[in-house]
Amino acid sequence: MSGYNDHYSNQDRDRGRGRERSRDSDRRGGSDRSRSRYDEGRRYDDRGYDDDRRPRGDSYDRRSGSYGRNDSYQDRGGYDRRMMDDANRQGQYRRHSGGGHYGPQANGHGGGDPRGYSNRRGDVDSPYGPGSQHGRAPYGDRRNSDGRGPPRGGRYGGGGSRYGGGRGRGGGRGQGPDLSGIQDCTTNILQAEVTEGFHFFEYTVNAENSSGEVLESRKRRAFLFHLGLFDGLLKDLSKKEKDNFRKVVFFNGSTFYSGRPIPGLDASNLPYDMDFRDRREGMDFRDRGEGDTMQIGDVRKLLAPKDLQVVPKQDENPNEVRFDNRTANGTMSFQNQQALLQHCQQTGDEPAYVPSDGVPASLQEFSAFINSALQSALGERLSKWGRDLVNPNKVTRPRGLGVSVYEAFRCTFSVLKKPEEENKAAEGLDFTVDPKVILHDESVLNGKKPGVLALTVDLGAKVLRDRSVLNELVGGKEEPDSDAEKLAADSWNPTEEEKNSAKKKWEGQIVITKHDKRCYSVVGLDFENSAESLEIENLGMNHAEYFAQRKDKTLRCPKFKPMVAVLGRRDQIIHLPAEMVCGNELEQTIKERLPMIANFPPGKRHEAIGKAIEFCQGFLIPGARGTQGILPGLGIQITDKRFSSRARVLPLPMVMAAGLQIPEAKKNMWAPELNRRNYNINPRDSNTFNVVLIHNDNLELSDVRKVYSNICWRVNKLNTLYRLSDKPFRIVKAGSREWHWQAVEKCFADASSLPTENVFVIDFCKPGGSTDPAYPVIKHMLTSHGYISQFVNFSKCPHDRAIGEMKKRSGDILNGVGRQILWKAGARLWWVKIPQGLPTPSVFVGVDVFHAPKEYDPVQKRRVRKRSCASIIVQIFRDQPDRQATVELYSETVAREAGMEYDLRDSLNGAVKNALKELEVDPMSCVVWRDGIGDSAFESEASQEIEGVEEALKDMSLNKSKKTPLAYVVCQKRIDTKLFAKGVNGHTDGTLAAPPGTLVQGIQALKHNTFYINGRAPRDSTPKPVRYVVVRQDDELEGVSLPELTWNMCHDYPNWTGPIKVPSVCMMAHKLAELAGNMADSGQNMNNKALKNRVHFL
């Protein structure tokens, strides 16, 4: 991954991981946020980044590994914005501007001017008046007796209560409606149902290439499957019969599913070898499989899972023949039995009889089938890009940005616990769901099932670049597909230097084709050929003719050079016209604008999801689209109402800093409070670090000393256990890239010239762009020797020459840098009280795995993936006041095979043993938060990891007969569930997002206790909650509220002075895994013992 210093590659993970980071990466160290926009939600990484962009949410797409790379799924691309779930954190306001019409509701003094002017007077009729419904004019003028102005706000004042307000120079930030007392939430989940006669068939598939090796490419396997089935086995069927099979057959990689039995593939004929010979006239039975083979292994007839099985009524005759209101071929359904029988009489079709044989499917098999059917049904009318469904005709093109923004939505079936049983698991919280279900027969209502089928519909956005490679090569100044662009292309005559620069820029990048949205890795630019001159082998036509005849795309610049050479199937090099491909990675300037161009506030999202649901119902309600509802034809039907649940807002936990409690009013951002605290440690009793200061050679030495003194003052004024030396022990001048790490390597080559202890490295870097390729290399050098370090980036904020507004910004960043230095040193700047009942000392364990995206390897001439990296954080919590001033933490990383998420039993066992030994603790309880485990792995992988932790606790216990009580909680962030406030006076249900700390326990999984928590909840965007699944909770911990403990630990993350989405140990595990995963050795040479009690990975 190249973006080590990239704001957006590290964006929202501090608030919630994975596609869930704050917009300024956590290596910046936080800011004091003394003005309102900083109070609302920023963080900085340890390279000191900052900018004026508004933070956005968990839009980072981990399906692809980087922004805009969605090629991991069906080679479809496009930047994925899951509706900017955590974008615009809590509102970001310009210091001098009022919120205008749409900021948060004004609740303080009068608003300001959105143009940047301050309030002049409080005159109601003045264009600079208060204009806030709840605001006051600076001089007390009021329109109503309660001081209220117009509900939409004044002309330039802070906004009114209906749409929110902002703040002026003298005004306070608005708070909006008070949602702390909400008792209900609505969701984007609908209840669905399977009919009594539901069944499907599962066939296994084995595929090998011409060398006899397993064929890995899913795309190639799918091509061979459809070729062998529809042009081979079913070649003699009519077009209508083939089309009917295409509607109910779904390929799934190593298996495929069918809603009806396939002729010729019954058990007696298996295994069956697919026939790929071309029987068309003149083709002489040419092998279209090109030596690849595919075999159908066996078949199983599967019924609905036991949890969804319909039980016949007691008085029902067991010998009576029953059937659903659908046809046996699985393509048609009807609203009543009479319509079905009439159709069968007219066409000769048969009803779908309730099967007397077959075995219940597992939940995984059932989910795979119905979700494949759902995607196939919706894909008939929408384009499928990755896992999302996009309407290509519904697009907006923000002016001047060269991108297109498409509305997209994701639909997923899952199985939840039935409402009646959820009430028992919700600890007294009610659960309600609309009882109206569209069923095939009234008798189904009399059946008893422990589970219910649910459909989650979530809205998102796809952002695609419009500017082609051609456009960017010729300067990128012309409007895409314009005459000016064509004229520039025709006259472009690059020099050799420009050609080499273009090759260096594009080689290794991912491009996406404009006509079919497929992604390819660029291997080079061919300046010797154009689309008109380059022939396609074996087709007898050039590329321009190919696109005109095969793709129906007439090239505007067929003579333009170069052609773009990319990796095709089997890593063969193919060529694409430069005007037909775009770069898939969004430019930095576009990323900065994403919160404005691809964001949906809760109300708009709620409305759009409603429309999406109506659209989906057209495929799920019998007869809704004539009689062509695909899923009802397979036995799947849906309700017309959403799930809702009782909810409550968890209070702010007690957060202590320097012996004083953080006020309730600062619960979402307490950085300004920390800057005013004094930890009262006598400097003579502190540990003073010997600082090795590295700086870029573009920075003047005098400026370097001045900035260092600034940081030193901000660290030392807090009077903690750790201080920085007044002057650096050594100053090292370094260049960029390799000259950067070479200077560091030379400095530390002679260890005898450095102090034996208390060494801290501060690096003032100034990369040419937003990224610093030296960062992981230097981090690797330092951590292998046990040194802690802090990077401060001068590229975005010139700390050496900051004046005016930039000086204030620099101060905010350096305040955060100072706090981060102290946390890395081991000082605990704040302490969160854990719930009563948890035996202490307690061991908190966080586990996560980082998977590096594939990158083009110029040596191997193909895209390769680095090894994955697992990270384990072990932290100790005690009730002893004298042990709360410092961090007690141990960390380890483990290199994994690429893409390997599980099998961490031995790694966890070893890490926990080492931690207990190094930290010298005999724990009384243990809680594990594990990120990245899917539902299907709970019974296998999670159980093995629990065994590993249990064994470590037992082996390291001073009392071998003692059993340490354990809880194991899985954190699932990649979910599509959304929570909306319900029952708020003056607001329509669904137009407000659930506030921070919202706890929902009414939506339960089938087998495990489940709860949802909103970690961060910006008012003008829709947050994504985290689903927590309690896989294990020992009886000794029954009195401990795991939701409360989890929420409290969301406030303990060192790099964010406010709540984040996941518990701190889980977030820290992610940060360490990402840091180590970008190192050459995946962190295997980190000196874990020397780095204990250091939060070195921030």
Side-chain angles (χ1 to χ4, degrees), residues 54 90-93 97-106 151-152 157-167 173-177 1019-1020:
R54 305 194 320 186
Q90 292 278 9
Q92 306 296 317
Y93 314 107
S97 66
H101 294 303
Y102 300 99
Q105 174 179 318
R152 290 183 66 92
S161 66
R162 184 178 304 169
Y163 297 98
R167 67 168 289 166
R173 173 171 52 86
Q175 297 300 315
R1019 203 173 296 110
D1020 50 355

Side-chain angles (χ1 to χ4, degrees), residues 114-164:
R115 302 171 301 178
Y117 304 133
S118 62
N119 274 346
R120 303 295 197 264
R121 286 182 55 86
D123 300 311
V124 172
D125 296 328
S126 168
Y128 305 103
S132 65
Q133 184 163 353
H134 294 288
R136 293 198 307 270
Y139 299 99
D141 290 325
R142 302 182 179 184
R143 170 170 292 184
N144 300 322
S145 60
D146 60 355
R148 298 191 176 192
R152 290 183 66 92
R155 181 178 176 187
Y156 298 118
S161 66
R162 184 178 304 169
Y163 297 98

Side-chain angles (χ1 to χ4, degrees), residues 680-691 708 712 715-716 718-726 757-760 788 821-822 824-828 885-887 1092-1094:
N680 296 317
I681 302 296
N682 192 311
R684 290 174 297 183
D685 299 328
S686 298
N687 296 312
T688 301
F689 280 109
N690 300 294
V691 176
Y708 172 77
C712 185
V715 170
N716 295 343
L718 297 179
N719 292 319
T720 67
L721 288 171
Y722 300 95
R723 303 175 63 85
L724 298 181
S725 55
D726 293 335
E757 59 183 10
N758 288 345
V759 175
F760 198 107
I788 50 179
I821 287 174
L822 290 172
K824 289 184 177 184
R828 176 174 279 281
T886 56
V887 175
K1092 74 175 181 179
N1093 297 330
R1094 313 282 199 188

Side-chain angles (χ1 to χ4, degrees), residues 1049-1069:
M1049 295 310 299
C1050 288
H1051 294 73
D1052 193 56
Y1053 181 53
N1055 212 46
W1056 184 244
T1057 50
I1060 61 172
K1061 280 197 161 186
V1062 293
S1064 57
V1065 288
C1066 194
M1067 186 67 233
M1068 287 190 285

